[in-house]
Amino acid sequence: MCFTQNFWNLVVSGLADGFLYALIAIGYTLVYGVLQLINFAHSEVFMSGGFASYFILNAAIGTSQPHGIASVGFLALGTIGGGLGGAVVAFLLERVAYRPLRRRNAPRLAFLISAIGASYFIYNLAGKEFGRNALEIPSPFTNGPVFTIFGATVQTVYIVVAVAAVIMLVLVDRVVATTRLGKGIRAVAQDAETASLMGVNIDRVISQTFIIGGVLGGAAGFLFGLPFGVVYTMGFTPALKAFTAAVLGGVGNIRGAMIGGLILGIAENLGVACTQASWRDVVAFGILVLVLLIRPTGILGEQLGRAA
Amino acid sequence: MSDAGSPDDLGPVSPVGTAPRPGDVVVDVDEITLSFGGLTSLRAVSLTQHRGEILAVIGPNGAGKTSLFNCLTGVYRPQVGRITFHDRRGRAISVVGRKPNQVNRAGIARTFQTSRLFNALTAFENVKIGVESRMHTGPLGAMLRLPRTRREERASDARTLELLDFVGLRAHANDIASSLPYGDRRRLEIARALGTGPELLLLDEPAAGTNPSEKGDLAALIRKVNAELSVSVLLIEHDMGLVMSLADNIVVLNFGQVIASGTPAEVQQDPAVVEAYLGAPDPEDG
Amino acid sequence: MSTVAPRVPLVRRVWRSDDARRGFACVAGGLVLAVMTGPSGSGTAPTSGFTGSLFHVRVVGFVLFGLVLWGLITARSRYSSQVRAFSAKVTAAPRRLLPDRRVRRVVYLAVLGFAIYYPTILNSFWQEVLVDQIGVYVLLAIGLNVVVGYAGLLDLGYVAFYAIGAYSAAYWTGALPIHPLFHLNPFYAIPLAILAAMFAGVLLGVPTLRLRGDYLAIVTLGAGEIIQIVATNLQGVTGGAQGVIGIPHFSVHLFGIRYSWGLDSLPYYYLLLGFVVIVLFAFRSLENSRVGRAWVAIREDEVAAESAGINVLKYKVMAFAIGASTSGFAGMLEASKISFVEPSDLTVQFSILILVLVIFGGMGSLPGAIVGAAVLQWLPQFLRIHPLFGFQQQDLYMYLGALLIVMMIFRPEGIIPSRRRKREIGLAEHGVGHADAMGHTSGPVS
């Protein structure tokens, strides 16, 4: 096969991609859980996180080359900054593009259109304000090979992505499973009407859901921007793939989004090995169409939200 | 009349080409079981309806009546069992596995528990959509206004007016469906179902939420549908007065199982039925 | 103030009051508009755009604008009955006359006459705009209106079919690196381009239209992205990133008539006008036919439509394919007019643009699609040559995005709403029906 030669290398880079997809996919899945809607503007939450971390690290690091404990500190700063940027945009997005429609009980089509409008507004505004060229995030660490496993070289940046992602994924899983906030989210996802009768403040839960998704998506924007830089159009493709990951795992299902992200990352990298890099997105899209045709409810099923 | 619900398995074959007579089987539900996840909502339910019969399905809330309807119309697919519909031309049509529109085309039309009209359209348009489902105009014919398109338009307009007349809504033809009073909406939904030219009409609680005088009108309409259009009627209803006065036969469901069947008089005296109803808080509730 | 306690409820009361919130939203909207129309920033000076917009005298104008807007909205809600009475009085005459078929016919003829005469007095720049920016987009909007407006489906990959139409034109005229079965003048390749786009629509529609409506949106979005990648990468077939050049202009020689369209825009305009009028008539008949009513039924209540004997999937595919073929038709017309196709023009943005035209004009409304396309396509051109407004072409999609949100919040039925659609949206907001074909799931929580 075309990928056997490089198999483990591809798996390692696929896992790194997969962790990012998983982080973004959770934003889709959570919002889908409480609103039964695909948040089309989630790509811009991701982009905003990238820019926020760029500005913060640019100010903090400047031209210095941090290492050791300082690297870890700056990484944490970038992740938190990205998460905050994503959270703020996600919160505003819900307030401006979703809530007025929810108040009016508008048709679903209106939500999707409003979200698409928000997406185009946000990323083109970013392009206008921050320029349309890619900006390089000052690196908090020196990238290079760390160790090899099955002959695959593992770079520092992969480890950074994996560690940060695993921490956040575990956190969000625990938050949704155990906290009061998580209980609210699950209650609204299951039956919003009953939840509101039981005293759950639906508006607040929805806001919080967007914020959690925004934190993860924004942090993913930072982790993505580390190797690739940030640019106003950076959201579209990773978000489309993350959505694929969410569907793959079962929309509305948090662990499904994680598994779907990892599978998609690996499958995409293996698939690309069989074609050319320029067909990368076609491979991911092919996977989306296949999943929708064969198992539209995903691997783990649609758990958080109601079945269709 | 034979006992509805007895396991008299007629099988899927019926002599082709014989004219239907009143008393032939029109639909045969054979031991269907339907479950969602771990929840079984119908357990080995069987019933037989004969052509021209008004059959009522009663039972306390949650007994599985609407699930049964959804199986009969292709909305749900029972995991076990067969449903066979015998049409006018003597064909035996298996309902399980067909989509709702295919079931409708075979000759089973329905109304819904909470009426599902096309609310932004007029009464006329609502019925016409039903009538037109039996026509053939495609997009090309519609765009070019071919002669056949015009012919079909005229035919469906005429049929729609007839049906509106039949249910007594001719005067409201141009009213928006959502603006009609409740009882009229019920009648309109029946007219739309009749528009699709059914042999069997499934009515899901047609009298729910209507006032006594509307109820009387509806009962008369159902009788008229049955007698004048020779459409068999399968009815879910909570109003016992209505059921007893309308139905030729009754099937009683409880917890997803048939617990009794027979004529109204027989069913009324059945101890299992009495118990089921006394056990339930109030059969007319909701 | 003697104590702190009574002040807190006051702040809260003000914040809770709808008037204050609306005022806040209006001023915030004014400030956002100030930033949108203000100077641009850059990566090295990310705040310069904001400071240049907000710490500048011009901001006063935008705040005032917000306040005036607030005043108008407040006045409208306070004097709603008087406003309604007044607007009823003003529109009484047209509303009485318009249903009259003869009056309508006269209006249509007058509009058509204007559409025929007006371009002759324009200069060549505006004539070109009229074809490349307006005419083709009117056709595209009318086509997407079938999908979004009539069937209530969200198609975000409309560009894919435009591309297929354009490349079909290139293929049949022999402009592609691969050779066609036989060479055709683009005029005769029209049916083939339409068929190709329709076929693609069916191919994409059949599997995805079974799914929930938002999945359709994302799959079409992906398809729109993929078509560009494919057009760029399949060098040997499509000519790659450079695109194809040398697609010939239309020409006819039939029944002794010989005519060739050339570089001049005006003949293309009239050709396009003719096509648009034909398509308009066809789609209007479609709307008021068995097929159109089936779409309404599906839009309103899929379950009820199915049980009334309507094959939902079939009608969805039909709408999707009709939209696709119109897009393909437009693509082939434009490719032949400008005589080239470039993958870089076939962006997802293009699909969004057409969607905005339809939404702005009014979903399901043919006059809406026309006016929406004409106004929104004309406006950027107008703003571009009048630098006073500070409009930059590259910010176009920022404005369009904002417009989509504003439309969805304040006027989802569009500027010239279809009467039926408006009623549906109103009813859906009262919890009756869906007003779209987004699937069986219950609507979003309120």
Side-chain angles (χ1 to χ4, degrees), chain B:
Chain B
M1 297 262 170
S2 71
D3 279 5
S6 64
D8 48 1
D9 188 358
L10 283 166
V13 198
S14 171
V16 178
T18 50
R21 294 179 306 269
D24 286 348
V25 171
V26 65
V27 69
D28 180 41
V29 177
D30 184 18
E31 302 257 326
I32 59 167
T33 296
L34 172 77
S35 43
F36 300 101
L39 234 72
T40 306
S41 69
L42 292 174
R43 186 168 295 144
V45 169
S46 295
L47 65 83
T48 307
Q49 181 170 14
H50 298 270
R51 194 168 285 280
E53 181 183 351
I54 299 182
L55 179 66
V57 178
I58 63 170
N61 284 324
K65 303 183 296 295
T66 298
S67 291
L68 175 67
F69 262 35
N70 283 334
C71 288
L72 273 165
T73 50
V75 176
Y76 295 158
R77 187 184 179 143
Q79 283 83 3
V80 185
R82 277 181 301 186
I83 300 172
T84 315
F85 172 69
H86 301 270
D87 77 354
R88 231 168 242 149
R89 283 185 277 172
R91 286 178 303 185
I93 298 159
S94 170
V95 168
V96 177
R98 277 177 211 274
K99 291 197 295 178
N101 61 298
Q102 294 169 325
V103 175
N104 177 277
R105 182 146 289 218
I108 303 179
R110 76 173 292 182
T111 65
F112 294 88
Q113 192 168 358
T114 47
S115 71
R116 301 185 82 145
L117 289 165
F118 305 124
N119 284 295
L121 300 185
T122 62
F124 183 85
E125 287 168 314
N126 265 278
V127 179
K128 192 168 175 184
I129 286 171
V131 173
E132 277 178 329
S133 71
R134 291 308 167 95
M135 305 274 176
H136 306 279
T137 298
L140 213 57
M143 285 196 261
L144 302 176
R145 295 203 208 197
L146 297 177
R148 184 168 89 166
T149 308
R150 292 163 193 242
R151 210 164 48 232
E152 287 192 350
E153 281 283 332
R154 279 195 300 272
S156 60
D157 281 357
R159 179 71 186 144
T160 303
L161 287 177
E162 262 172 46
L163 282 168
L164 283 170
D165 243 350
F166 186 82
V167 300
L169 287 174
R170 176 95 182 229
H172 297 286
N174 291 322
D175 291 3
I176 302 298
S178 64
S179 73
L180 292 174
Y182 200 79
D184 286 354
R185 294 163 56 82
R186 288 288 181 188
R187 306 162 80 80
L188 184 58
E189 214 186 347
I190 293 175
R192 183 181 71 191
L194 289 174
T196 66
E199 295 170 41
L200 173 64
L201 180 63
L202 272 54
L203 302 173
D204 197 346
E205 297 193 27
T210 54
N211 63 39
S213 90
E214 288 174 332
K215 207 165 279 179
D217 293 348
L218 260 169
L221 177 61
I222 294 168
R223 265 191 219 102
K224 202 165 100 173
V225 166
N226 183 243
E228 290 182 22
L229 302 179
S230 49
V231 171
S232 315
V233 176
L234 182 59
L235 178 76
I236 293 177
E237 191 45 72
H238 274 308
D239 187 299
M240 281 308 140
L242 193 70
V243 169
M244 295 302 160
S245 73
L246 267 179
D248 300 317
N249 282 294
I250 296 176
V251 172
V252 189
L253 280 183
N254 197 16
F255 296 116
Q257 282 176 302
V258 176
I259 57 165
S261 60
T263 62
E266 286 165 15
V267 165
Q268 260 173 322
Q269 268 137 41
D270 195 310
V273 178
V274 174
E275 198 201 312
Y277 271 91
L278 287 179
D282 180 5
E284 298 209 15
D285 198 346

Side-chain angles (χ1 to χ4, degrees), chain A residues 32 55 96 101-102 104 107-109 113 117 120 123-124 128-130 132 192 243 251 278 285 292-293 302 308, chain C residues 36 38 41-43 46 49 207 212 214-215 218-219 233 349 352 359 395 397 401 408-409 429 434 436 438 445:
Chain A
Y32 190 87
F55 291 128
V96 176
L101 304 189
R102 228 153 26 81
R104 261 195 0 231
R108 291 161 67 82
L109 187 61
I113 291 169
Y120 272 79
Y123 91 75
N124 285 293
K128 178 184 168 72
E129 298 302 333
F130 309 140
R132 290 180 172 82
F243 173 77
V251 178
S278 53
F285 179 70
L292 287 177
L293 290 186
E302 302 183 345
Chain C
M36 284 168 71
S42 69
R212 252 193 319 253
D214 30 11
Y215 283 8
I218 209 130
V219 169
N233 286 348
Q349 284 196 343
I352 303 293
I359 305 285
D395 293 337
Y397 283 88
M408 283 305 111
I409 295 177
E429 287 172 1
H434 293 299
D436 59 30
M438 286 309 182
V445 295

Side-chain angles (χ1 to χ4, degrees), chain C residues 15-43:
Chain C
W15 176 239
R16 288 264 165 92
S17 87
D18 279 350
D19 273 344
R21 281 188 173 195
R22 240 179 256 143
F24 177 76
C26 284
V27 173
L31 292 178
V32 170
L33 202 58
V35 171
M36 284 168 71
T37 54
S40 303
S42 69

Side-chain angles (χ1 to χ4, degrees), chain A residues 115-285:
Chain A
I116 290 163
S119 168
Y120 272 79
F121 172 72
I122 297 171
Y123 91 75
N124 285 293
L125 183 66
K128 178 184 168 72
E129 298 302 333
F130 309 140
R132 290 180 172 82
N133 301 318
L135 304 168
E136 204 178 315
I137 299 182
S139 185
F141 56 88
T142 324
N143 193 25
V146 181
F147 61 89
T148 50
I149 181 169
F150 302 119
T153 319
V154 178
Q155 310 247 345
T156 323
V157 66
Y158 292 163
I159 298 176
V160 166
V161 169
V163 170
V166 168
I167 293 173
M168 283 186 282
L169 292 176
V170 171
L171 268 178
V172 76
D173 189 69
R174 290 296 87 201
V175 164
V176 173
T178 59
T179 62
R180 209 182 120 87
L181 164 61
K183 211 179 278 177
I185 292 176
R186 279 179 293 137
V188 173
Q190 223 146 63
D191 186 343
E193 217 166 298
T194 311
S196 87
L197 290 175
M198 306 300 273
V200 175
N201 182 341
I202 292 193
D203 277 346
R204 186 181 298 163
V205 168
I206 289 174
S207 253
Q208 288 163 340
T209 309
F210 269 85
I211 289 173
I212 296 179
V215 168
L216 297 186
F222 164 62
L223 296 175
F224 180 88
L226 270 182
F228 300 116
V230 292
V231 65
Y232 72 118
T233 51
M234 70 190 268
F236 184 85
T237 314
L240 191 60
K241 290 179 187 170
F243 173 77
T244 306
V247 173
L248 188 61
V251 178
N253 185 322
I254 293 183
R255 290 187 184 168
M258 298 180 192
I259 294 171
L262 295 179
I263 293 178
L264 182 74
I266 294 169
E268 187 193 22
N269 277 274
L270 295 181
V272 169
C274 297
T275 57
Q276 287 164 326
S278 53
W279 291 99
R280 186 179 200 96
D281 300 346
V282 182
V283 172
F285 179 70

Side-chain angles (χ1 to χ4, degrees), chain A residues 7-136:
Chain A
F7 186 77
W8 291 106
N9 268 322
L10 292 169
V11 169
V12 167
S13 57
L15 276 174
D17 286 349
F19 277 121
L20 290 179
Y21 297 155
L23 284 176
I24 311 170
I26 286 178
Y28 281 113
T29 268
L30 283 173
V31 169
Y32 190 87
V34 293
L35 288 182
Q36 274 85 54
L37 279 170
I38 296 170
N39 178 9
F40 265 94
H42 195 51
S43 46
E44 278 28 272
V45 171
F46 168 82
M47 182 270 295
S48 311
F51 270 98
S53 65
Y54 164 79
F55 291 128
I56 290 173
L57 288 190
N58 216 14
I61 300 180
T63 51
S64 67
Q65 285 179 320
H67 44 80
I69 192 78
S71 291
V72 179
F74 285 128
L75 278 174
L77 184 66
T79 313
I80 293 169
L84 277 179
V88 169
V89 170
F91 173 78
L92 288 176
L93 173 74
E94 195 272 327
R95 271 301 169 96
V96 176
Y98 282 93
R99 192 170 290 190
L101 304 189
R102 228 153 26 81
R103 290 251 180 284
R104 261 195 0 231
N105 196 16
R108 291 161 67 82
L109 187 61
F111 283 82
L112 295 184
I113 291 169
S114 172
I116 290 163
S119 168
Y120 272 79
F121 172 72
I122 297 171
Y123 91 75
N124 285 293
L125 183 66
K128 178 184 168 72
E129 298 302 333
F130 309 140
R132 290 180 172 82
N133 301 318
L135 304 168
E136 204 178 315

